[in-house]
Amino acid sequence: MPALTTPPVTESESAHFSPYRPDGKLYGFICIVTSALTPLGSAITHELAAHGAACIYACASPAQSPSYTPLIASIAEDYPATKVIGYTTNAAKEEETLALVDDVLNTWGRLDVWVCCATGASPAGIASTTPASLYEAFEVNAMGAFLALKYAPPAMGKTTPKGNYANAAPKDQAYGSIIVVAPAGAGGVASVVSAQAALGVVKAGVTVLKGKKGIRINCISPGEIEGGGSGGVSAEKLKETVGLERAGLPVEVARVAGFLASGFSSYITGSNLVVDGGAGAMSPLSVTI
């Protein structure tokens, strides 16, 4: 039997972006995660750090009165070479998005991954859904994704030599992954409508990014996730409606984000990965289209 060897990089792939790097498939990456203090955002931040990211901007809205200390301390204990920067910003505001991108580039000279982790709850029924709540859900779920698509690609296209910091690696080619997290048919009328708008940003992004070599955009649609903000479903209802008969864990969504952030997904763009334990297959009308 021939000896096993590390799979080669693709013809257009730098060794610095090979997902088979022994030091981590995201080694050296500079990342942004919005809504980073939610259970999903925190799990995604941990996942990126686990695979060698050099720095993660953990972003939260001013309305959340954010305290980043627990997240930063947790990452520092588990993955001390990864730097986490708590960054208070409104991801749905254009001027604040531009300021964030400027900060990242001025400090690190590169940007590799942008996760729009927006999973806010909304009123459940149409009668209790007001135009104001719909606009709010649209801002939370779709506007941040739109601004990431507008401003992240130029930053992701920049190259830089190896820096003088932990987990540093040179960036010798354009590379970027924009990941939009939008709920799969859960959380109320406004959440469903705005999640479809976010998915529209992803679909439009394929054309926007055409010709921008190495930069991709994809969506993750979580189903019922513990602590995900969609209101909670009883164990009995989960056994009835979900193929795996349970709610998902934030880390199970985070692992999909880690896959989409890395070179393992280099030929995937414009796609929506539904992470719902089979709920959509059991109830096709609830599948995100």
Side-chain angles (χ1 to χ4, degrees), residues 180-206:
V180 178
V181 182
V189 173
S191 288
V192 174
V193 171
S194 60
Q196 290 296 317
L199 185 55
V201 172
V202 172
K203 297 299 183 184
V206 177

Side-chain angles (χ1 to χ4, degrees), residues 241-275:
T241 60
V242 178
L244 295 180
E245 299 187 338
R246 63 175 177 84
L249 300 174
V251 68
E252 293 176 304
V253 179
R255 289 168 182 164
V256 179
F259 164 72
L260 289 175
S262 77
F264 280 123
S265 58
S266 59
Y267 198 60
I268 300 176
T269 193
S271 293
N272 182 30
L273 277 62
V274 179
V275 185

Side-chain angles (χ1 to χ4, degrees), residues 27 45-46 48-56 71-84 108 165-168:
Y27 190 84
T45 302
H46 277 82
L48 300 179
H51 293 285
C55 179
I56 304 167
L71 177 61
I72 292 173
S74 177
I75 297 289
E77 180 178 355
D78 294 338
Y79 313 107
T82 297
K83 183 178 181 63
V84 175
W108 307 95
Y165 50 84
N167 283 15

